[in-house]
Amino acid sequence: MSAFRLTKQFLPLAGFLFILIGGCRVKTPSESEHFRLHPDFEMQLVAAEPMIFDPVDMAFDEKGRAFVLEMPGYPLNDAEGKIILLEDNNSDGKFDKRIVFADSLGVASSLMPYEGGFLVASPPHLLMLKDTDGDSRADFRKILLSGFSYGNLQHNFNGLTYGLDNWIYAANGGNSGNVYWPDSPENKHNIRGNDLRFNLKTATLENVGRSSGGFELAMDDWGNFFGTHNTEHISHIVFPGKYIEGLLLKPTHTLDEISDHSEGELARIYPIGRQDTRVNHPEQSGYFSGSCGITFYGGNVFPEGFNNNIFVADVVLNLIHRDVVHPEGASFTASRQDLQTEFLASTDRSFRPVNMVTGPDGALYLLDMHRKVIEHPEWIPDEIEDTLDLNAGKDAGRIYRITPKGGLSVAKPLFDPQNLEAVVANLAHPNQWQRMTAQRLLVEWQDERAVPLLENFFAATPETLGRLHALWTLEGLGKLNENLLLKALDDSSPGIRANAILLAEKLLPTNENLLNKIILRAEDPDPAVKRQLMLSLSTLPYPMSEKIYPVVLSFAQTQTSDVWIRMATATAGKHFSIRLLSDLLTQNESANGKEELREMLAKQAGLTATETEIGELLVHSSYAATDVGKTRLLEGLAEGIKRRNTPITSTETFTTALNLIEKSEQTPVIRAAWNLRKTLNIPFSANSRRLLANAAEHVRNPQLSVEKRLENLSLLAFSPFAEKESLLYALLNTREPNALQQAAIDQLSEEGTTAVAEKLIQLWPELGPETKNAAGDILLYQETNHPFLLTALESGKINRGEMNFHLERRRALLFSDDESVRKRAEALFTDAGVITRKQALEKMRPALTTPGNAANGKTVFTSTCGTCHRHKGEGSEVGPDLTEIYRKSGQTLLHDILDPNAAADTRYISHTIETIEREIITGIILQETDAEIILRQMNGTDRNIMRKDIQRLTSSGLSLMPEGLENALNIQQMADLLAFLQENPAE
């Protein structure tokens, strides 16, 4: 049994959704160098056990010395972390001496050079460590912050980074916490689900914005931050959350998932070699699921096209992925450059890349924790955990140095406080590490002799990034003056202009010259500059609204197509939302995001405006606004009023205005008006009963468009359930458009009664695939329905494979607080998975260890599988195309082949349609539209059946793939088939 076992039924996706099933011997470095690296690069092993163990973070101090943080306690917290100083005494690029700089660091996750020592993220504390006597061992230790959550090690706070703005940033990781300064423990700061930043000079702590929840942060040359987490491998923190605190905006946060190469919620990656078994989410095989160690490469010595890329490790699939990041409006897009291959991949399943760092030499240093089992036991089923050695690899660890072909010379940085001119010159160094270290040291030293050097440097250097760092260094010294800011606001670089607005932000309330200059930047062509302009103007106090109102109104009228500029504009308009709405009422709200902006402003008005102001706005809108404008206004006001601190008590004006608005009898307007009535507890008008009756008739009318029927169905959300129940169930008929089925099941879900569950189970065989998925969620995620779901599973009314029982869905039942539910679920499946044909699997298990012949396997595939499946251009595409099936392990493939109904992909469940002409057609549902269903038959032909022609649709709940294949093949043939299926077509 694991040392820690969850008891909740709903779990997040695991941080590292993977375990190895098999032997646990750790390979030596010579055995493990089975790498495929981009041909323009080379990789050198620079440290391995016993020089280093379990490395998770690495940092170079200003002397160029390498310090590595070890985490031997992962995953069970049974050993404390250490910081190791690694020395290269013969300058050959390899480390040859290990010195324990600090130990007893608990489950420390990150370190960062600071003021001659190191900051260390060691939850529940942020520590300061220093060596004060020069013996290369820390003899000073102080707690600087405390209160960080202390839980699952991979979710503790991490990623300490010195920001361009001289604040220190950290990733939340997911455990959150109530953080406080030790001298004022009563003043706790709840970081919730946010990343954070802190200023140790001013003892200030702030939430940055919604955290990706993963391990590490990446900062580019311009101070933009990127995060990673599990399946979402790269996200941009578009702007700090401080700007939107207390506001009701859409999106509700500023974390932007920027990958352009994701397939739905997953991004395909390309591991090499045979894949190991995934017991949690087999459908994620070959996709990002354990992304971590996100790193901006700023060394600037890589070949053209590789500098300023972002690298992300996947610790599950033993590889490093490369993203090229380019501006996309006011945010970014991350694109794959290496087609069907990765920057680095390994066949060694103990290769666990967890982090990377750019060195003073420009090389990319890669940390390999080197573990057989990287999964936290929290997500390993007990019966499997009992077969694993969670400690395998704790006596190992690797660090690799990645350089362009031909290598790089070892760098010996020198930052001499007596030679300030040389340190200032380093602010323009091509290497980001050199620039940031120079800036950090100049700020730490607080030597005012640097001020004129920095001012002259800003005026003279042709290097854009040099000018950028000069500005922020002067800010850190408290010596940034108005003249420099005015020049920076006109700089040729949009990055400097945006940073100049940010630098000027705190001066705007008292400096009219800067404010006037910044307002002129409203004409700036760069989206990021526009975004920052609105954000900085949003910080001004209300009395200055007259000064900035014209530019905010102009943005509200013309700059709404970009989601982040639109969001920033709503933020800037928070003090005069009513006025903005009044001026915008008659505009065409449907164009370029204007609707969304109006709704955000209306939410703010509902939240903060007075009753009189809201009432007057409603009256004005009743005759001045378009129907779309009224709808958005009403929806936004209702949302804001729900969250306001002071309730609205006088509703006479509201009632009069709503009566006028409802005369339009436009369904979306009526629905929004009723929602506001419900929010304000205003009685519905006498006309509502007639409108509800009409709505029900319109929903039933198949001659109306789907859009009109959906609009009217939305009105029925305000109808008593008993009056609409039969209609909602009737809409689940497969003859009805899919959108109507989904809307009906949404209203059934809101009712949330066991009677609904029983009816859905009764209708189950006749539900379409998408409707069945939604109905399954009602049965699984509403606890009162569990007994009914279990009965249906036990009786075979619902097939287990139809419920997509991956780990978290199984645990909704297996970890129930109800003992009888747990026991009944345990009789159906285990925490390790769903198996319905154990005997067949045991019979064929020897095929997993029998050498297979891929050429013979092709013959087996053609004769046995090719009638339904396509692989490398062979066969028919009735079932799923198997060309990428090689990304799954042999054990998973064997299970899929022999037990197809244990966890059937619902897209390939067999369905039978009986038409009104009594024709019977059987196959899989290839596509559903509101008008028709396309059924692919066993012979590979497609039939298009109009929904109006369907008499009945039923499903057995079974996969189209038949059971019993073990009776048609012998062990060798199965081994050959597996060998064929696991061949990588790219190799």
Side-chain angles (χ1 to χ4, degrees):
M1 291 287 291
S2 63
F4 175 70
R5 178 59 55 199
L6 288 184
T7 58
K8 299 294 184 184
Q9 66 267 43
F10 301 122
L11 301 173
L13 291 179
F16 304 137
L17 295 175
F18 170 92
I19 66 171
L20 176 71
I21 298 176
C24 290
R25 185 177 69 84
V26 176
K27 295 180 181 179
T28 66
S30 61
E31 291 178 302
S32 66
E33 292 178 359
H34 301 123
F35 294 105
R36 178 186 293 164
L37 178 64
H38 191 285
D40 292 347
F41 294 84
E42 61 185 51
M43 184 166 70
Q44 179 186 30
L45 181 68
V46 295
E49 66 279 356
M51 187 69 62
I52 198 71
F53 306 97
D54 310 299
V56 296
D57 200 8
M58 182 178 189
F60 293 88
D61 71 357
E62 54 267 29
K63 299 175 184 177
R65 298 182 300 170
F67 292 79
V68 180
L69 178 61
E70 296 180 337
M71 189 189 281
Y74 182 85
L76 298 177
N77 190 19
D78 53 1
E80 298 208 52
K82 298 177 182 178
I83 295 176
I84 306 302
L85 168 60
L86 295 179
E87 293 186 345
D88 172 16
N89 291 311
N90 58 8
S91 299
D92 65 350
K94 296 182 179 180
F95 299 111
D96 45 45
K97 186 176 181 181
R98 167 189 173 94
I99 300 172
V100 178
F101 176 78
D103 56 15
S104 301
L105 296 177
V107 291
S109 60
S110 181
L111 78 165
M112 190 200 90
Y114 187 74
E115 292 194 340
F118 285 92
L119 299 178
V120 182
S122 179
H125 308 305
L126 173 73
L127 302 176
M128 179 71 199
L129 303 178
K130 281 187 182 182
D131 166 23
T132 64
D133 57 12
D135 66 352
S136 297
R137 289 174 174 80
D139 49 60
F140 172 86
R141 181 181 302 219
K142 182 180 180 181
I143 297 174
L144 302 181
L145 279 169
S146 196
F148 293 98
S149 288
Y150 176 73
N152 186 319
L153 275 65
Q154 67 200 40
H155 291 310
N156 289 333
F157 88 108
N158 63 81
L160 295 173
T161 304
Y162 191 89
L164 181 66
D165 58 4
N166 301 306
W167 287 64
I168 297 158
Y169 288 74
N172 185 340
N175 285 337
S176 302
N178 291 293
V179 184
Y180 58 89
W181 303 96
D183 58 356
S184 56
E186 69 282 359
N187 296 320
K188 290 181 169 59
H189 182 91
N190 187 345
I191 60 176
R192 301 184 299 278
N194 296 282
D195 288 338
L196 65 150
R197 69 172 190 165
F198 44 88
N199 188 319
L200 296 176
K201 302 291 186 186
T202 61
T204 309
L205 178 68
E206 290 182 359
N207 291 347
V208 170
R210 179 171 174 175
S211 176
S212 63
F215 184 68
E216 274 302 319
L217 286 172
M219 184 185 75
D220 72 3
D221 288 336
W222 297 96
N224 295 295
F225 276 92
F226 303 85
T228 187
H229 185 219
N230 294 346
T231 58
E232 294 184 0
H233 74 283
I234 181 166
S235 298
H236 173 216
I237 304 169
V238 185
F239 55 82
K242 68 177 183 178
Y243 291 109
I244 63 171
E245 286 183 1
L247 303 181
L248 300 176
L249 303 178
K250 188 178 182 180
T252 58
H253 57 81
T254 63
L255 190 69
D256 184 19
E257 203 278 314
I258 61 173
S259 169
D260 70 356
H261 46 287
S262 296
E263 304 168 13
E265 296 180 355
L266 299 173
R268 181 72 166 96
I269 47 179
Y270 297 90
I272 60 176
R274 292 292 176 92
Q275 297 304 297
D276 293 312
T277 297
R278 300 177 58 96
V279 298
N280 297 359
H281 286 266
E283 79 283 356
Q284 291 180 3
S285 296
Y287 293 87
F288 263 115
S289 63
S291 62
C292 61
I294 188 167
T295 302
F296 173 80
Y297 175 71
N300 210 35
V301 295
F302 278 8
E304 186 67 28
F306 290 86
N307 293 305
N308 306 321
N309 290 180
I310 289 182
F311 293 86
V312 185
D314 190 284
V315 75
V316 169
L317 294 183
N318 325 101
L319 56 82
I320 303 296
H321 173 79
R322 177 170 74 102
D323 277 319
V324 176
V325 177
H326 49 89
E328 184 74 25
S331 183
F332 293 92
T333 293
S335 301
R336 166 183 282 280
Q337 294 296 108
D338 308 310
L339 299 179
Q340 295 193 351
T341 188
E342 300 299 338
F343 179 75
L344 170 67
S346 176
T347 58
D348 181 359
R349 293 294 169 245
S350 291
F351 172 63
R352 303 297 184 188
V354 296
N355 210 346
M356 291 161 278
V357 62
T358 303
D361 52 1
L364 186 66
Y365 289 81
L366 170 62
L367 278 63
D368 169 16
M369 199 174 187
H370 214 80
R371 294 289 187 88
K372 278 290 183 182
V373 180
I374 201 65
E375 171 76 85
H376 193 283
E378 186 173 318
W379 287 285
I380 303 176
D382 286 354
E383 61 199 90
I384 294 177
E385 185 184 329
D386 290 342
T387 70
L388 303 175
D389 180 3
L390 298 181
N391 292 311
K394 283 193 174 185
D395 56 352
R398 316 282 158 80
I399 300 176
Y400 297 92
R401 182 173 181 258
I402 299 174
T403 64
K405 281 286 189 183
L408 295 171
S409 58
V410 177
K412 295 291 184 182
L414 177 63
F415 296 95
D416 185 355
Q418 302 307 313
N419 188 355
L420 291 177
E421 191 168 359
V423 180
V424 169
N426 245 25
L427 295 176
H429 197 286
N431 186 337
Q432 184 191 43
W433 181 90
Q434 299 275 357
R435 296 194 305 274
M436 287 304 306
T437 301
Q439 177 179 321
R440 175 176 62 83
L441 292 173
L442 288 167
V443 173
E444 288 176 2
W445 293 339
Q446 288 290 304
D447 190 333
E448 293 193 6
R449 293 178 300 163
V451 173
L453 298 175
L454 288 163
E455 292 174 342
N456 292 335
F457 180 77
F458 175 84
T461 182
E463 298 296 331
T464 304
L465 292 174
R467 298 197 299 278
L468 177 71
H469 283 278
L471 290 171
W472 280 110
T473 305
L474 284 165
E475 188 276 341
L477 293 171
K479 298 297 182 180
L480 183 59
N481 62 56
E482 177 186 326
N483 289 334
L484 277 184
L485 281 174
L486 290 171
K487 291 178 182 177
L489 287 165
D490 284 331
D491 198 277
S492 60
S493 164
I496 288 185
R497 297 197 300 272
N499 272 273
I501 294 173
L502 179 59
L503 282 158
E505 185 174 283
K506 61 185 178 183
L507 303 176
L508 297 183
T510 57
N511 192 312
E512 191 170 357
N513 287 337
L514 280 174
L515 179 57
N516 290 336
K517 185 72 171 181
I518 282 176
I519 288 175
L520 292 177
R521 288 264 61 92
E523 302 302 321
D524 199 291
D526 186 79
V529 175
K530 292 178 184 291
R531 181 197 71 211
Q532 189 56 54
L533 169 66
M534 286 293 105
L535 293 174
S536 293
L537 291 182
S538 77
T539 65
L540 290 169
Y542 176 67
M544 302 187 73
S545 61
E546 285 300 324
K547 182 79 174 178
I548 68 171
Y549 184 79
V551 68
V552 177
L553 176 60
S554 173
F555 266 58
Q557 292 170 330
T558 64
Q559 303 293 323
T560 57
S561 59
D562 184 288
V563 59
W564 304 109
I565 297 177
R566 181 167 70 237
M567 193 174 177
T569 302
T571 303
K574 63 187 176 186
H575 290 313
F576 33 81
S577 54
I578 290 283
R579 183 179 176 188
L580 277 171
L581 284 166
S582 295
D583 285 343
L584 297 172
L585 277 178
T586 57
Q587 285 203 345
N588 178 12
E589 294 86 355
S590 63
N592 298 321
K594 286 183 171 63
E595 294 178 12
E596 289 80 2
L597 177 62
R598 285 359 171 238
E599 188 171 345
M600 285 190 282
L601 291 170
K603 288 179 183 179
Q604 190 60 31
L607 186 69
T608 59
T610 67
E611 294 181 17
T612 300
E613 289 174 326
I614 298 173
E616 289 174 352
L617 178 65
L618 273 175
V619 171
H620 181 40
S621 70
S622 67
Y623 61 84
T626 64
D627 288 332
V628 173
K630 290 173 186 174
T631 302
R632 290 287 184 159
L633 176 67
L634 294 167
E635 289 173 345
L637 285 174
E639 185 70 18
I641 290 169
K642 284 177 186 176
R643 288 169 167 75
R644 67 186 286 133
N645 293 324
T646 56
I648 289 178
T649 56
S650 177
T651 58
E652 185 176 345
T653 303
F654 292 72
T655 303
T656 301
L658 288 172
N659 288 337
L660 287 171
I661 289 171
E662 289 172 15
K663 285 184 178 180
S664 75
E665 296 205 1
Q666 290 296 314
T667 306
V669 177
I670 297 295
R671 189 191 187 287
W674 285 0
N675 186 41
L676 184 55
R677 283 183 184 272
K678 185 177 178 181
T679 301
L680 293 167
N681 292 315
I682 298 175
F684 281 47
S685 66
N687 198 32
S688 63
R689 299 298 302 170
R690 179 184 65 83
L691 292 173
L692 283 172
N694 288 344
E697 288 303 313
H698 291 326
V699 171
R700 291 188 182 95
N701 186 354
Q703 303 305 315
L704 293 177
S705 69
V706 175
E707 291 72 24
K708 283 295 181 185
R709 295 177 72 191
L710 282 170
E711 284 181 2
N712 282 278
L713 182 55
S714 72
L715 279 187
L716 296 186
F718 297 92
S719 178
F721 184 70
E723 296 180 11
K724 63 181 178 180
E725 180 179 8
S726 61
L727 174 57
L728 293 177
Y729 290 128
L731 290 173
L732 301 185
N733 189 301
T734 312
R735 298 184 67 182
E736 296 291 353
N738 198 54
L740 274 172
Q741 295 182 54
Q742 295 300 310
I745 210 161
D746 286 344
Q747 290 197 28
L748 289 168
S749 177
E750 290 173 7
E751 180 63 15
T753 64
T754 56
V756 169
E758 291 182 278
K759 185 65 175 179
L760 290 175
I761 292 170
Q762 178 188 335
L763 295 172
W764 187 269
E766 300 174 20
L767 300 179
E770 291 187 35
T771 305
K772 192 171 285 187
N773 287 339
D777 287 346
I778 294 173
L779 298 174
L780 186 64
Y781 292 126
Q782 294 181 10
E783 293 183 22
T784 55
N785 295 335
H786 286 173
F788 301 97
L789 170 60
L790 288 164
T791 298
L793 291 168
E794 291 160 348
S795 67
K797 182 81 172 180
I798 296 177
N799 189 286
R800 280 170 280 183
E802 295 180 278
M803 287 297 296
N804 187 24
F805 274 131
H806 59 61
L807 182 73
E808 286 78 29
R809 289 175 71 87
R810 294 196 300 274
R811 287 185 172 182
L813 299 171
L814 291 170
F815 286 8
S816 171
D817 292 332
D818 186 323
E819 183 180 3
S820 82
V821 168
R822 291 198 305 271
K823 288 183 176 179
R824 293 175 68 185
E826 288 165 1
L828 292 168
F829 44 75
T830 72
D831 203 27
V834 180
I835 295 176
T836 65
R837 306 191 70 239
K838 185 175 182 180
Q839 202 169 14
L841 287 166
E842 289 301 321
K843 176 182 176 180
M844 277 294 176
R845 193 169 300 281
L848 295 173
T849 54
T850 301
N853 182 295
N856 293 340
K858 181 178 180 180
T859 302
V860 175
F861 174 83
T862 302
S863 61
T864 307
C865 313
T867 55
C868 286
H869 295 286
R870 195 167 183 82
H871 185 58
K872 300 181 186 177
E874 304 278 342
S876 301
E877 199 172 339
V878 179
D881 189 311
L882 302 182
T883 301
E884 282 215 345
I885 204 71
Y886 70 92
R887 58 191 170 83
K888 292 188 176 183
S889 73
Q891 180 170 331
T892 299
L893 288 175
L894 189 67
H895 182 266
D896 291 347
I897 292 168
L898 298 180
D899 200 359
N901 293 305
D905 186 329
T906 52
R907 291 176 299 171
Y908 300 103
I909 286 176
S910 177
H911 287 79
T912 298
I913 290 178
E914 179 183 354
T915 71
I916 56 177
E917 300 294 332
R918 301 298 181 185
E919 183 182 7
I920 306 296
I921 310 161
T922 298
I924 62 170
I925 294 179
L926 185 66
Q927 184 179 345
E928 286 189 89
T929 69
D930 288 334
E932 66 180 1
I933 291 177
I934 304 175
L935 206 67
R936 177 159 290 175
Q937 301 173 94
M938 283 291 288
N939 61 8
T941 60
D942 296 341
R943 286 287 302 273
N944 295 50
I945 303 111
M946 301 302 292
R947 287 190 183 271
K948 64 182 178 59
D949 295 332
I950 296 174
Q951 179 69 32
R952 189 172 182 227
L953 179 143
T954 57
S955 169
S956 63
L958 299 176
S959 170
L960 193 65
M961 183 170 175
E963 295 179 348
L965 195 60
E966 72 280 1
N967 298 319
L969 302 178
N970 59 37
I971 298 295
Q972 184 61 59
Q973 288 173 317
M974 180 62 78
D976 293 343
L977 177 60
L978 293 176
F980 174 67
L981 293 176
Q982 288 192 289
E983 270 192 328
N984 188 336
E987 295 179 347

